[in-house]
Amino acid sequence: MNLGLEAKRVLVTGSTRGIGRSIAAGFVGEGARVAVHGRRQETARSVAREVSQEAGGTPVAALSGDLSQEDGVEQVFQGCLEQLGGIDVLVNNAGAYEVCGWKEADGERWMDSYAVNVVSRVRLIRRVLDSMRRQQWGRIIQIASISAAVAPPVFPDYAAAKAASVNMTVSLMQELAGSGITANTISPGPVETETWKTFAIQIGKGQGWGDDLEEIKEKLLSGWMSNPCGRIGRPQDVADACLFLASQRSAYINGVNLPVTGGLAARAI
Ligand code: NAD
């Protein structure tokens, strides 16, 4: 299937590792013009170089900026204008999570979590809308989390922030009626990235299961991360869904929250 992503200008936030890196590499493979983004310029540059080499030398831009700060968002947006000439596809992937339960998560923690996982995204969306409206085409994709729906007690601030991402996408989709821009959410279940492995080991230790990752995964897969596909997700699973939602082929898919979970927490309604 031709996704029609050639020469599309794509910003994937938080793409120096994990799910974001896989999404960025996927877009590069489809012939898009991609900006890799991370908090540190040096890291962004080195990952952009790697991704470019993997794709046979296609140029990949490297941008940096702390998205929890207004000036960091501005720096990333201006970098896109300078290096790509604009943004056709915004993938709001950057986010932060770790085990921090109700006893530990104080008000400040909730505020920080909201700044990183929600407000950063709103700022970027507000920045890209004018030009997307002018060109009457755009794709805005949020990487949320199935934790928005199942809300486990291990990271309440994060799960609630992800629920905000799901919610605001529906509102945004309506705001963009008739503009040629679609807004969708992807809600991954557990995906085996380095950050997720650290998180899983934190859970394992908390449960008294020890720190062997394979044993912890087995226990999680027979417990609250159980899913009919019988495995933890891979970054590529999310990347493939993201490429499709960004493509020309998904023009009639708007305002959805697509679970990429192997069936975890699936509901008929
Ligand atoms: P990760 O830690 O590997 O990557 C997160 C990226 O976001 C990193 O590049 C990091 O530098 C960036 N980032 C974080 N805070 C930032 C900030 N303030 N400014 C700029 N960049 C910042 O995580 P991952 O596991 O690949 O997760 C990626 C996304 O997918 C996150 O939004 C996460 O919430 C979501 N998610 C992950 C899983 C999972 O199991 N891995 C499941 C559901 C949802």
Side-chain angles (χ1 to χ4, degrees), residues 14-19 37 39 65-68 93-95 97 116 121 143-145 158 162 188-191 193 195-196:
S15 46
T16 52
R17 60 182 195 228
I19 292 172
H37 159 262
R39 266 175 291 203
D66 178 352
L67 297 179
S68 66
N93 166 77
Y97 59 97
V116 172
R121 294 173 170 213
I143 307 300
S145 166
Y158 167 80
K162 290 300 188 180
V191 177
T193 62
T195 302
W196 182 84

PDB file of all heavy atoms in Angstrom, residues 14-19 37 39 65-68 93-95 97 116 121 143-145 158 162 188-191 193 195-196, ligand 1:
ATOM      1  N   GLY A  14      10.437  13.535  21.029  1.00  0.00           N
ATOM      2  CA  GLY A  14      10.990  12.458  21.864  1.00  0.00           C
ATOM      3  C   GLY A  14      11.385  11.252  21.037  1.00  0.00           C
ATOM      4  O   GLY A  14      11.052  10.117  21.382  1.00  0.00           O
ATOM      5  N   SER A  15      12.130  11.505  19.937  1.00  0.00           N
ATOM      6  CA  SER A  15      12.418  10.388  19.020  1.00  0.00           C
ATOM      7  C   SER A  15      13.888   9.961  19.054  1.00  0.00           C
ATOM      8  O   SER A  15      14.368   9.325  18.131  1.00  0.00           O
ATOM      9  CB  SER A  15      11.985  10.748  17.602  1.00  0.00           C
ATOM     10  OG  SER A  15      12.400  12.041  17.255  1.00  0.00           O
ATOM     11  N   THR A  16      14.567  10.294  20.145  1.00  0.00           N
ATOM     12  CA  THR A  16      15.956   9.842  20.236  1.00  0.00           C
ATOM     13  C   THR A  16      16.053   8.403  20.728  1.00  0.00           C
ATOM     14  O   THR A  16      17.125   7.814  20.732  1.00  0.00           O
ATOM     15  CB  THR A  16      16.765  10.756  21.186  1.00  0.00           C
ATOM     16  OG1 THR A  16      16.055  10.841  22.420  1.00  0.00           O
ATOM     17  CG2 THR A  16      16.963  12.130  20.591  1.00  0.00           C
ATOM     18  N   ARG A  17      14.938   7.848  21.165  1.00  0.00           N
ATOM     19  CA  ARG A  17      14.971   6.452  21.626  1.00  0.00           C
ATOM     20  C   ARG A  17      13.532   5.902  21.638  1.00  0.00           C
ATOM     21  O   ARG A  17      12.569   6.628  21.355  1.00  0.00           O
ATOM     22  CB  ARG A  17      15.584   6.352  23.023  1.00  0.00           C
ATOM     23  CG  ARG A  17      14.817   7.144  24.050  1.00  0.00           C
ATOM     24  CD  ARG A  17      15.475   7.068  25.412  1.00  0.00           C
ATOM     25  NE  ARG A  17      14.541   7.530  26.421  1.00  0.00           N
ATOM     26  CZ  ARG A  17      14.833   8.420  27.380  1.00  0.00           C
ATOM     27  NH1 ARG A  17      16.041   8.905  27.471  1.00  0.00           N
ATOM     28  NH2 ARG A  17      13.905   8.787  28.245  1.00  0.00           N
ATOM     29  N   GLY A  18      13.440   4.612  21.963  1.00  0.00           N
ATOM     30  CA  GLY A  18      12.144   3.987  22.219  1.00  0.00           C
ATOM     31  C   GLY A  18      11.162   4.061  21.054  1.00  0.00           C
ATOM     32  O   GLY A  18      11.538   3.957  19.878  1.00  0.00           O
ATOM     33  N   ILE A  19       9.906   4.260  21.403  1.00  0.00           N
ATOM     34  CA  ILE A  19       8.823   4.276  20.412  1.00  0.00           C
ATOM     35  C   ILE A  19       9.037   5.409  19.399  1.00  0.00           C
ATOM     36  O   ILE A  19       8.875   5.219  18.186  1.00  0.00           O
ATOM     37  CB  ILE A  19       7.464   4.456  21.135  1.00  0.00           C
ATOM     38  CG1 ILE A  19       7.144   3.209  21.976  1.00  0.00           C
ATOM     39  CG2 ILE A  19       6.351   4.727  20.140  1.00  0.00           C
ATOM     40  CD1 ILE A  19       5.916   3.360  22.882  1.00  0.00           C
ATOM     41  N   HIS A  37      13.800  14.505  17.392  1.00  0.00           N
ATOM     42  CA  HIS A  37      13.875  15.474  18.485  1.00  0.00           C
ATOM     43  C   HIS A  37      14.207  14.802  19.812  1.00  0.00           C
ATOM     44  O   HIS A  37      13.713  13.717  20.109  1.00  0.00           O
ATOM     45  CB  HIS A  37      12.531  16.218  18.624  1.00  0.00           C
ATOM     46  CG  HIS A  37      12.352  16.822  19.982  1.00  0.00           C
ATOM     47  ND1 HIS A  37      11.621  16.206  20.979  1.00  0.00           N
ATOM     48  CD2 HIS A  37      12.872  17.950  20.531  1.00  0.00           C
ATOM     49  CE1 HIS A  37      11.666  16.952  22.071  1.00  0.00           C
ATOM     50  NE2 HIS A  37      12.408  18.006  21.819  1.00  0.00           N
ATOM     51  N   ARG A  39      15.930  15.937  24.069  1.00  0.00           N
ATOM     52  CA  ARG A  39      16.200  17.067  24.952  1.00  0.00           C
ATOM     53  C   ARG A  39      17.584  17.654  24.705  1.00  0.00           C
ATOM     54  O   ARG A  39      17.800  18.828  24.886  1.00  0.00           O
ATOM     55  CB  ARG A  39      16.060  16.650  26.417  1.00  0.00           C
ATOM     56  CG  ARG A  39      14.678  16.943  26.941  1.00  0.00           C
ATOM     57  CD  ARG A  39      14.475  16.428  28.324  1.00  0.00           C
ATOM     58  NE  ARG A  39      14.456  14.972  28.346  1.00  0.00           N
ATOM     59  CZ  ARG A  39      13.881  14.255  29.277  1.00  0.00           C
ATOM     60  NH1 ARG A  39      13.275  14.837  30.277  1.00  0.00           N
ATOM     61  NH2 ARG A  39      13.904  12.944  29.217  1.00  0.00           N
ATOM     62  N   GLY A  65      15.168  20.488  22.521  1.00  0.00           N
ATOM     63  CA  GLY A  65      14.430  21.465  23.319  1.00  0.00           C
ATOM     64  C   GLY A  65      13.606  20.747  24.367  1.00  0.00           C
ATOM     65  O   GLY A  65      13.057  19.681  24.104  1.00  0.00           O
ATOM     66  N   ASP A  66      13.564  21.348  25.562  1.00  0.00           N
ATOM     67  CA  ASP A  66      12.741  20.792  26.649  1.00  0.00           C
ATOM     68  C   ASP A  66      11.304  21.236  26.411  1.00  0.00           C
ATOM     69  O   ASP A  66      10.975  22.414  26.545  1.00  0.00           O
ATOM     70  CB  ASP A  66      13.258  21.310  27.998  1.00  0.00           C
ATOM     71  CG  ASP A  66      12.419  20.798  29.161  1.00  0.00           C
ATOM     72  OD1 ASP A  66      11.359  20.168  28.923  1.00  0.00           O
ATOM     73  OD2 ASP A  66      12.820  21.032  30.313  1.00  0.00           O
ATOM     74  N   LEU A  67      10.444  20.288  26.069  1.00  0.00           N
ATOM     75  CA  LEU A  67       9.076  20.635  25.676  1.00  0.00           C
ATOM     76  C   LEU A  67       8.192  21.016  26.860  1.00  0.00           C
ATOM     77  O   LEU A  67       7.075  21.476  26.665  1.00  0.00           O
ATOM     78  CB  LEU A  67       8.443  19.480  24.893  1.00  0.00           C
ATOM     79  CG  LEU A  67       9.129  19.133  23.569  1.00  0.00           C
ATOM     80  CD1 LEU A  67       8.431  17.953  22.906  1.00  0.00           C
ATOM     81  CD2 LEU A  67       9.142  20.331  22.619  1.00  0.00           C
ATOM     82  N   SER A  68       8.690  20.809  28.085  1.00  0.00           N
ATOM     83  CA  SER A  68       7.864  21.236  29.218  1.00  0.00           C
ATOM     84  C   SER A  68       7.959  22.756  29.405  1.00  0.00           C
ATOM     85  O   SER A  68       7.253  23.325  30.234  1.00  0.00           O
ATOM     86  CB  SER A  68       8.285  20.511  30.501  1.00  0.00           C
ATOM     87  OG  SER A  68       9.580  20.909  30.869  1.00  0.00           O
ATOM     88  N   ASN A  93       4.881  12.469  20.665  1.00  0.00           N
ATOM     89  CA  ASN A  93       5.258  11.208  21.314  1.00  0.00           C
ATOM     90  C   ASN A  93       5.959  11.427  22.656  1.00  0.00           C
ATOM     91  O   ASN A  93       5.820  10.606  23.563  1.00  0.00           O
ATOM     92  CB  ASN A  93       6.181  10.417  20.373  1.00  0.00           C
ATOM     93  CG  ASN A  93       6.881   9.276  21.087  1.00  0.00           C
ATOM     94  OD1 ASN A  93       6.282   8.238  21.352  1.00  0.00           O
ATOM     95  ND2 ASN A  93       8.151   9.467  21.447  1.00  0.00           N
ATOM     96  N   ALA A  94       6.701  12.526  22.798  1.00  0.00           N
ATOM     97  CA  ALA A  94       7.497  12.731  24.018  1.00  0.00           C
ATOM     98  C   ALA A  94       6.605  12.616  25.242  1.00  0.00           C
ATOM     99  O   ALA A  94       5.487  13.130  25.278  1.00  0.00           O
ATOM    100  CB  ALA A  94       8.182  14.098  23.989  1.00  0.00           C
ATOM    101  N   GLY A  95       7.095  11.932  26.233  1.00  0.00           N
ATOM    102  CA  GLY A  95       6.349  11.751  27.470  1.00  0.00           C
ATOM    103  C   GLY A  95       7.257  11.098  28.485  1.00  0.00           C
ATOM    104  O   GLY A  95       8.321  10.586  28.131  1.00  0.00           O
ATOM    105  N   TYR A  97       7.328   8.653  32.168  1.00  0.00           N
ATOM    106  CA  TYR A  97       6.590   7.830  33.134  1.00  0.00           C
ATOM    107  C   TYR A  97       7.559   7.022  33.981  1.00  0.00           C
ATOM    108  O   TYR A  97       8.656   6.681  33.543  1.00  0.00           O
ATOM    109  CB  TYR A  97       5.626   6.873  32.405  1.00  0.00           C
ATOM    110  CG  TYR A  97       6.323   5.930  31.426  1.00  0.00           C
ATOM    111  CD1 TYR A  97       6.660   4.633  31.786  1.00  0.00           C
ATOM    112  CD2 TYR A  97       6.655   6.347  30.134  1.00  0.00           C
ATOM    113  CE1 TYR A  97       7.309   3.781  30.890  1.00  0.00           C
ATOM    114  CE2 TYR A  97       7.292   5.505  29.240  1.00  0.00           C
ATOM    115  CZ  TYR A  97       7.614   4.222  29.623  1.00  0.00           C
ATOM    116  OH  TYR A  97       8.260   3.385  28.747  1.00  0.00           O
ATOM    117  N   VAL A 116       4.736  18.054  31.253  1.00  0.00           N
ATOM    118  CA  VAL A 116       5.492  17.256  30.279  1.00  0.00           C
ATOM    119  C   VAL A 116       4.558  16.488  29.347  1.00  0.00           C
ATOM    120  O   VAL A 116       4.779  16.442  28.133  1.00  0.00           O
ATOM    121  CB  VAL A 116       6.417  16.245  31.013  1.00  0.00           C
ATOM    122  CG1 VAL A 116       7.054  15.280  30.035  1.00  0.00           C
ATOM    123  CG2 VAL A 116       7.484  16.972  31.792  1.00  0.00           C
ATOM    124  N   ARG A 121       2.326  19.284  24.630  1.00  0.00           N
ATOM    125  CA  ARG A 121       1.640  18.875  23.392  1.00  0.00           C
ATOM    126  C   ARG A 121       0.702  19.974  22.899  1.00  0.00           C
ATOM    127  O   ARG A 121       0.621  20.252  21.707  1.00  0.00           O
ATOM    128  CB  ARG A 121       0.862  17.586  23.654  1.00  0.00           C
ATOM    129  CG  ARG A 121       1.804  16.446  23.952  1.00  0.00           C
ATOM    130  CD  ARG A 121       1.111  15.183  24.385  1.00  0.00           C
ATOM    131  NE  ARG A 121       2.106  14.115  24.415  1.00  0.00           N
ATOM    132  CZ  ARG A 121       1.860  12.861  24.137  1.00  0.00           C
ATOM    133  NH1 ARG A 121       0.640  12.473  23.826  1.00  0.00           N
ATOM    134  NH2 ARG A 121       2.820  11.974  24.173  1.00  0.00           N
ATOM    135  N   ILE A 143       0.600  10.200  20.975  1.00  0.00           N
ATOM    136  CA  ILE A 143       0.862   8.881  21.555  1.00  0.00           C
ATOM    137  C   ILE A 143       0.448   8.977  23.023  1.00  0.00           C
ATOM    138  O   ILE A 143       1.118   9.617  23.844  1.00  0.00           O
ATOM    139  CB  ILE A 143       2.351   8.467  21.421  1.00  0.00           C
ATOM    140  CG1 ILE A 143       2.819   8.577  19.956  1.00  0.00           C
ATOM    141  CG2 ILE A 143       2.536   7.052  21.967  1.00  0.00           C
ATOM    142  CD1 ILE A 143       2.072   7.728  18.937  1.00  0.00           C
ATOM    143  N   ALA A 144      -0.711   8.381  23.317  1.00  0.00           N
ATOM    144  CA  ALA A 144      -1.216   8.396  24.698  1.00  0.00           C
ATOM    145  C   ALA A 144      -0.819   7.071  25.357  1.00  0.00           C
ATOM    146  O   ALA A 144       0.335   6.623  25.239  1.00  0.00           O
ATOM    147  CB  ALA A 144      -2.722   8.613  24.698  1.00  0.00           C
ATOM    148  N   SER A 145      -1.761   6.389  25.987  1.00  0.00           N
ATOM    149  CA  SER A 145      -1.440   5.108  26.646  1.00  0.00           C
ATOM    150  C   SER A 145      -2.752   4.450  27.048  1.00  0.00           C
ATOM    151  O   SER A 145      -3.712   5.133  27.412  1.00  0.00           O
ATOM    152  CB  SER A 145      -0.608   5.358  27.902  1.00  0.00           C
ATOM    153  OG  SER A 145      -0.567   4.208  28.708  1.00  0.00           O
ATOM    154  N   TYR A 158       0.455  10.190  35.657  1.00  0.00           N
ATOM    155  CA  TYR A 158       0.742   9.900  34.250  1.00  0.00           C
ATOM    156  C   TYR A 158      -0.514   9.387  33.534  1.00  0.00           C
ATOM    157  O   TYR A 158      -0.846   9.846  32.431  1.00  0.00           O
ATOM    158  CB  TYR A 158       1.872   8.864  34.183  1.00  0.00           C
ATOM    159  CG  TYR A 158       2.099   8.231  32.839  1.00  0.00           C
ATOM    160  CD1 TYR A 158       2.819   8.897  31.847  1.00  0.00           C
ATOM    161  CD2 TYR A 158       1.618   6.946  32.548  1.00  0.00           C
ATOM    162  CE1 TYR A 158       3.038   8.309  30.608  1.00  0.00           C
ATOM    163  CE2 TYR A 158       1.835   6.350  31.316  1.00  0.00           C
ATOM    164  CZ  TYR A 158       2.550   7.037  30.349  1.00  0.00           C
ATOM    165  OH  TYR A 158       2.765   6.449  29.124  1.00  0.00           O
ATOM    166  N   LYS A 162      -2.419  11.097  30.389  1.00  0.00           N
ATOM    167  CA  LYS A 162      -2.673  10.424  29.115  1.00  0.00           C
ATOM    168  C   LYS A 162      -4.158  10.486  28.758  1.00  0.00           C
ATOM    169  O   LYS A 162      -4.532  10.611  27.592  1.00  0.00           O
ATOM    170  CB  LYS A 162      -2.183   8.976  29.178  1.00  0.00           C
ATOM    171  CG  LYS A 162      -0.667   8.866  29.210  1.00  0.00           C
ATOM    172  CD  LYS A 162      -0.049   9.488  27.970  1.00  0.00           C
ATOM    173  CE  LYS A 162       1.434   9.231  27.853  1.00  0.00           C
ATOM    174  NZ  LYS A 162       2.025   9.837  26.664  1.00  0.00           N
ATOM    175  N   PRO A 188      -0.921   2.954  23.163  1.00  0.00           N
ATOM    176  CA  PRO A 188      -0.199   1.680  23.281  1.00  0.00           C
ATOM    177  C   PRO A 188      -0.439   1.030  24.642  1.00  0.00           C
ATOM    178  O   PRO A 188      -0.642   1.708  25.653  1.00  0.00           O
ATOM    179  CB  PRO A 188       1.273   2.080  23.160  1.00  0.00           C
ATOM    180  CG  PRO A 188       1.283   3.499  22.688  1.00  0.00           C
ATOM    181  CD  PRO A 188      -0.006   4.106  23.146  1.00  0.00           C
ATOM    182  N   GLY A 189      -0.388  -0.292  24.630  1.00  0.00           N
ATOM    183  CA  GLY A 189      -0.245  -1.040  25.882  1.00  0.00           C
ATOM    184  C   GLY A 189       1.242  -1.042  26.198  1.00  0.00           C
ATOM    185  O   GLY A 189       1.994  -0.222  25.670  1.00  0.00           O
ATOM    186  N   PRO A 190       1.696  -1.966  27.056  1.00  0.00           N
ATOM    187  CA  PRO A 190       3.127  -2.003  27.365  1.00  0.00           C
ATOM    188  C   PRO A 190       3.958  -2.264  26.118  1.00  0.00           C
ATOM    189  O   PRO A 190       3.621  -3.133  25.315  1.00  0.00           O
ATOM    190  CB  PRO A 190       3.250  -3.165  28.355  1.00  0.00           C
ATOM    191  CG  PRO A 190       2.000  -3.944  28.216  1.00  0.00           C
ATOM    192  CD  PRO A 190       0.940  -3.011  27.766  1.00  0.00           C
ATOM    193  N   VAL A 191       5.009  -1.479  25.952  1.00  0.00           N
ATOM    194  CA  VAL A 191       5.903  -1.612  24.790  1.00  0.00           C
ATOM    195  C   VAL A 191       7.323  -1.696  25.330  1.00  0.00           C
ATOM    196  O   VAL A 191       7.740  -0.831  26.128  1.00  0.00           O
ATOM    197  CB  VAL A 191       5.760  -0.394  23.853  1.00  0.00           C
ATOM    198  CG1 VAL A 191       6.741  -0.507  22.688  1.00  0.00           C
ATOM    199  CG2 VAL A 191       4.328  -0.277  23.333  1.00  0.00           C
ATOM    200  N   THR A 193      10.496  -0.833  25.642  1.00  0.00           N
ATOM    201  CA  THR A 193      11.578   0.128  25.413  1.00  0.00           C
ATOM    202  C   THR A 193      12.481   0.082  26.650  1.00  0.00           C
ATOM    203  O   THR A 193      12.119  -0.513  27.669  1.00  0.00           O
ATOM    204  CB  THR A 193      10.993   1.547  25.255  1.00  0.00           C
ATOM    205  OG1 THR A 193      10.321   1.895  26.481  1.00  0.00           O
ATOM    206  CG2 THR A 193       9.998   1.622  24.108  1.00  0.00           C
ATOM    207  N   THR A 195      13.067   2.470  28.712  1.00  0.00           N
ATOM    208  CA  THR A 195      12.362   3.117  29.827  1.00  0.00           C
ATOM    209  C   THR A 195      11.308   2.176  30.410  1.00  0.00           C
ATOM    210  O   THR A 195      11.137   2.077  31.633  1.00  0.00           O
ATOM    211  CB  THR A 195      11.709   4.444  29.360  1.00  0.00           C
ATOM    212  OG1 THR A 195      12.742   5.272  28.843  1.00  0.00           O
ATOM    213  CG2 THR A 195      11.013   5.164  30.490  1.00  0.00           C
ATOM    214  N   TRP A 196      10.613   1.444  29.520  1.00  0.00           N
ATOM    215  CA  TRP A 196       9.607   0.508  30.020  1.00  0.00           C
ATOM    216  C   TRP A 196      10.260  -0.613  30.841  1.00  0.00           C
ATOM    217  O   TRP A 196       9.710  -1.034  31.859  1.00  0.00           O
ATOM    218  CB  TRP A 196       8.784  -0.102  28.862  1.00  0.00           C
ATOM    219  CG  TRP A 196       7.716  -1.015  29.400  1.00  0.00           C
ATOM    220  CD1 TRP A 196       6.475  -0.647  29.858  1.00  0.00           C
ATOM    221  CD2 TRP A 196       7.809  -2.430  29.614  1.00  0.00           C
ATOM    222  NE1 TRP A 196       5.788  -1.748  30.331  1.00  0.00           N
ATOM    223  CE2 TRP A 196       6.596  -2.854  30.188  1.00  0.00           C
ATOM    224  CE3 TRP A 196       8.805  -3.378  29.373  1.00  0.00           C
ATOM    225  CZ2 TRP A 196       6.335  -4.190  30.526  1.00  0.00           C
ATOM    226  CZ3 TRP A 196       8.562  -4.704  29.709  1.00  0.00           C
ATOM    227  CH2 TRP A 196       7.339  -5.107  30.275  1.00  0.00           C
TER     228      TRP A 196
HETATM  229  P1  NAD B   1      11.226   6.791  26.247  1.00  0.00           P
HETATM  230  O1  NAD B   1      11.585   7.255  27.606  1.00  0.00           O
HETATM  231  O2  NAD B   1      12.104   5.786  25.582  1.00  0.00           O
HETATM  232  O3  NAD B   1      11.132   8.038  25.264  1.00  0.00           O
HETATM  233  C1  NAD B   1      10.533   9.230  25.666  1.00  0.00           C
HETATM  234  C2  NAD B   1      11.105  10.356  24.861  1.00  0.00           C
HETATM  235  O4  NAD B   1      10.485  11.578  25.273  1.00  0.00           O
HETATM  236  C3  NAD B   1      12.605  10.520  25.064  1.00  0.00           C
HETATM  237  O5  NAD B   1      13.216  10.826  23.824  1.00  0.00           O
HETATM  238  C4  NAD B   1      12.685  11.721  26.016  1.00  0.00           C
HETATM  239  O6  NAD B   1      13.894  12.443  25.882  1.00  0.00           O
HETATM  240  C5  NAD B   1      11.491  12.522  25.534  1.00  0.00           C
HETATM  241  N1  NAD B   1      11.061  13.490  26.545  1.00  0.00           N
HETATM  242  C6  NAD B   1      10.561  13.240  27.782  1.00  0.00           C
HETATM  243  N2  NAD B   1      10.326  14.390  28.419  1.00  0.00           N
HETATM  244  C7  NAD B   1      10.665  15.384  27.555  1.00  0.00           C
HETATM  245  C8  NAD B   1      10.684  16.806  27.643  1.00  0.00           C
HETATM  246  N3  NAD B   1      10.301  17.460  28.746  1.00  0.00           N
HETATM  247  N4  NAD B   1      11.118  17.498  26.574  1.00  0.00           N
HETATM  248  C9  NAD B   1      11.530  16.879  25.466  1.00  0.00           C
HETATM  249  N5  NAD B   1      11.550  15.543  25.330  1.00  0.00           N
HETATM  250  C10 NAD B   1      11.144  14.820  26.372  1.00  0.00           C
HETATM  251  O7  NAD B   1       9.721   6.292  26.331  1.00  0.00           O
HETATM  252  P2  NAD B   1       8.879   5.248  25.439  1.00  0.00           P
HETATM  253  O8  NAD B   1       8.674   4.058  26.254  1.00  0.00           O
HETATM  254  O9  NAD B   1       9.448   5.148  24.080  1.00  0.00           O
HETATM  255  O10 NAD B   1       7.499   6.044  25.368  1.00  0.00           O
HETATM  256  C11 NAD B   1       7.238   6.970  24.327  1.00  0.00           C
HETATM  257  C12 NAD B   1       5.820   7.505  24.441  1.00  0.00           C
HETATM  258  O11 NAD B   1       4.914   6.414  24.438  1.00  0.00           O
HETATM  259  C13 NAD B   1       5.568   8.275  25.732  1.00  0.00           C
HETATM  260  O12 NAD B   1       4.659   9.319  25.492  1.00  0.00           O
HETATM  261  C14 NAD B   1       4.918   7.222  26.601  1.00  0.00           C
HETATM  262  O13 NAD B   1       4.099   7.801  27.570  1.00  0.00           O
HETATM  263  C15 NAD B   1       4.106   6.447  25.588  1.00  0.00           C
HETATM  264  N6  NAD B   1       3.801   5.074  25.988  1.00  0.00           N
HETATM  265  C16 NAD B   1       4.785   4.172  26.212  1.00  0.00           C
HETATM  266  C17 NAD B   1       4.457   2.880  26.571  1.00  0.00           C
HETATM  267  C18 NAD B   1       5.500   1.841  26.838  1.00  0.00           C
HETATM  268  O14 NAD B   1       5.148   0.803  27.420  1.00  0.00           O
HETATM  269  N7  NAD B   1       6.739   2.016  26.438  1.00  0.00           N
HETATM  270  C19 NAD B   1       3.119   2.509  26.711  1.00  0.00           C
HETATM  271  C20 NAD B   1       2.140   3.459  26.479  1.00  0.00           C
HETATM  272  C21 NAD B   1       2.485   4.732  26.103  1.00  0.00           C
END
